[in-house]
């Protein structure tokens, strides 16, 4: 959030487009004194894609498109440091904060086939984007006796991050003047995400190394659109969103699991050029078990279960000039 799309028709065959989207993002936050604070406090990843695109209408049945992705990624990770385990005597926790960002690029391609006046199929592919996050790690409240420990010092850091490629297919069928049905399926190449390694830029010292071992994911959805009257359209849909993480490798930073979506939508034509939309989704997630036991043992062993649900409300405005 937000997303912005624009399109300009050059002629009967060529269109130019521009999209600003947020394809990947996450945020988790825990209280400073929670039992797993040595594993995670705050975690956030934000990506912004700016995608100029061109499409070409080959004939009345077939069109193709391609575009460039300029993607900016920004990450922040914090966790407590168990100085008491190193010094004893009731030493208060320290804190580590890692921040980094990078801008890189990829591409996307797509095709649309109109089988007839009522049915069309779409195919799209968005490439992976390779990032090398560049930033710093700041250590806070580290007692003086530990100031000389390299793993507890401020430093410039780097970390590799690859956002995955995504392949999607979709179908749309107009049943009659009022009812349309649609469905799509997507594959996301999350098996690229094997580990999260953060290193000092100067000497290569590993500051964090989390084994992730994610799996490829799949998303399936089906929906319907009903034209209530000349100005009002109603929508409803369901979806299954497979999680990327097995129980063995799930972490407190990203407690990912399978999800199910229930969605409804409303569209109102204000006039011939302006359209208002509203949507609501309720997502309920499968219980996610987490058991972390890192080395060194200053982190402790922490186990728990997440029981999550999500409410999403969206508003949109579309205007033709």
């Amino acid at each position: 959030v937000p997303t912005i799309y624009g399109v300009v028709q050059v002629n009967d065959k060529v269109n130019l487009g521009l999209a600003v989207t947020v394809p990947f993002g996450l945020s988790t936050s825990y209280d400073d004194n929670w039992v797993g604070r040595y594993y995670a406090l705050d975690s956030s990843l934000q990506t912004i894609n700016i995608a100029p695109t061109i499409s070409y209408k080959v004939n009345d049945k077939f069109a193709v498109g391609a575009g460039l992705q300029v993607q900016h990624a920004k990450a922040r990770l914090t966790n407590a440091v168990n100085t008491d385990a190193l010094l004893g005597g009731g030493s208060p926790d320290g804190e580590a904060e890692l921040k980094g960002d990078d801008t890189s690029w990829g591409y996307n391609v797509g095709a649309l086939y109109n089988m007839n006046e009522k049915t069309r199929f779409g195919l799209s592919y968005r490439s992976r984007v390779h990032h090398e996050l560049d930033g710093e790690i700041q250590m806070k409240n580290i007692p003086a006796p530990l100031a000389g420990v390299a793993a507890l010092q401020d430093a410039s850091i780097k970390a590799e991050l690859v956002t995955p490629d995504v392949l999607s297919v979709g179908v749309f069928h107009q049943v009659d003047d009022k009812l349309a049905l649609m469905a799509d399926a997507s594959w996301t190449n999350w098996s690229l995400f094997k580990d999260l390694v953060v290193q000092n830029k100067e000497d290569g010292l590993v500051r964090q190394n989390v084994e992730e071992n994610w799996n490829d994911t799949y998303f399936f959805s089906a929906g319907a659109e009903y034209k209530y009257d000349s100005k009002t359209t109603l929508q409803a849909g369901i979806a299954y969103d497979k999680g990327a993480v097995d129980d063995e490798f799930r972490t407190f930073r990203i407690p990912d699991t399978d999800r199910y979506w229930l969605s409804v939508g409303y569209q109102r034509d204000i006039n011939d050029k302006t359209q208002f939309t509203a949507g609501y989704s309720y997502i309920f997630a499968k219980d996610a078990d987490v058991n972390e036991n890192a080395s060194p043992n200053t982190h402790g062993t922490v186990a728990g279960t997440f029981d999550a649900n999500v409410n999403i409300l969206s508003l949109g405005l579309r205007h033709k000039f």
Side-chain angles (χ1 to χ4, degrees):
V1 178
T3 57
I4 301 171
Y5 300 91
V7 62
V8 175
Q9 186 174 12
V10 178
N11 54 45
D12 291 342
K13 290 184 175 293
V14 178
N15 286 274
L16 300 178
L18 180 68
V20 180
T21 62
V22 182
F24 306 102
L26 65 89
S27 177
T28 56
S29 183
Y30 300 93
D31 293 337
D32 289 345
N33 62 347
W34 88 285
V35 67
R37 59 192 179 275
Y38 305 123
Y39 290 99
L41 286 173
D42 296 329
S43 308
S44 68
L45 171 67
Q46 300 172 352
T47 59
I48 297 176
N49 262 30
I50 300 175
T53 305
I54 185 170
S55 69
Y56 179 74
K57 184 178 179 181
V58 178
N59 52 44
D60 289 339
K61 287 185 174 292
F62 190 62
V64 294
L68 179 70
Q69 296 184 71
V70 180
Q71 186 176 97
H72 179 75
K74 178 180 179 182
R76 177 178 178 268
L77 306 174
T78 71
N79 58 271
V81 178
N82 190 359
T83 59
D84 184 54
L86 301 172
L87 290 177
S91 178
D93 287 342
E95 184 178 319
E97 180 183 33
L98 294 88
K99 295 187 292 185
D101 66 344
D102 179 64
T103 300
S104 192
W105 66 276
Y107 65 91
N108 52 277
V109 294
L112 183 69
Y113 176 68
N114 292 306
M115 189 170 72
N116 52 48
E117 292 183 354
K118 292 189 173 183
T119 305
R120 61 181 183 263
F121 297 89
L123 174 70
S124 71
Y125 172 77
R126 183 173 61 199
S127 75
R128 68 189 69 176
V129 178
H130 293 262
H131 290 282
E132 184 165 302
L133 302 179
D134 183 73
E136 60 183 3
I137 180 170
Q138 293 183 330
M139 308 301 298
K140 304 174 184 178
N141 301 323
I142 302 301
L146 299 175
V149 178
L152 298 177
Q153 295 178 348
D154 294 352
S156 297
I157 55 95
K158 62 181 180 179
E160 289 191 5
L161 172 69
V162 182
T163 57
D165 31 355
V166 181
L167 178 66
S168 300
V169 294
V171 58
F172 177 95
H173 179 67
Q174 190 76 44
V175 179
D176 54 34
D177 292 342
K178 288 185 173 294
L179 179 65
L181 302 177
M182 57 217 72
D184 69 11
S186 297
W187 163 83
T188 303
N189 191 14
W190 274 123
S191 58
L192 294 168
F193 192 30
K194 295 299 184 185
D195 48 35
L196 177 62
V197 180
V198 180
Q199 296 176 279
N200 287 356
K201 290 176 65 177
E202 185 174 341
D203 56 14
L205 178 67
V206 176
R207 304 299 293 266
Q208 284 196 15
N209 186 354
V210 181
E211 191 176 15
E212 301 288 354
N213 287 322
W214 281 26
N215 304 311
D216 293 347
T217 64
Y218 302 90
F219 180 89
F220 303 98
S221 68
E225 185 174 83
Y226 180 74
K227 195 167 185 62
Y228 181 76
D229 57 33
S230 61
K231 292 183 177 293
T232 305
T233 304
L234 306 176
Q235 296 118 354
I238 58 174
Y240 169 70
D241 193 0
K242 179 175 169 47
V245 187
D246 295 330
D247 288 352
E248 180 183 359
F249 297 106
R250 188 177 291 114
T251 68
F252 287 105
R253 287 202 186 278
I254 313 175
D256 187 57
T257 188
D258 297 354
R259 294 168 295 278
Y260 300 88
W261 295 58
L262 299 174
S263 302
V264 293
Y266 170 83
Q267 177 179 300
R268 179 72 175 180
D269 295 336
I270 299 173
N271 53 46
D272 291 341
K273 293 187 175 182
T274 305
Q275 200 173 69
F276 169 79
T277 62
Y280 169 74
S281 290
Y282 176 75
I283 306 173
F284 51 98
K286 181 181 176 182
D287 287 355
D289 296 328
V290 184
N291 189 328
E292 290 205 66
N293 184 11
S295 178
N297 60 11
T298 55
H299 288 47
T301 298
V302 185
T305 299
F306 287 84
D307 178 11
N309 58 74
V310 182
N311 293 279
I312 300 175
L313 178 65
S314 60
L315 301 175
L317 191 67
R318 177 181 176 182
H319 183 75
K320 298 179 181 179
F321 294 95

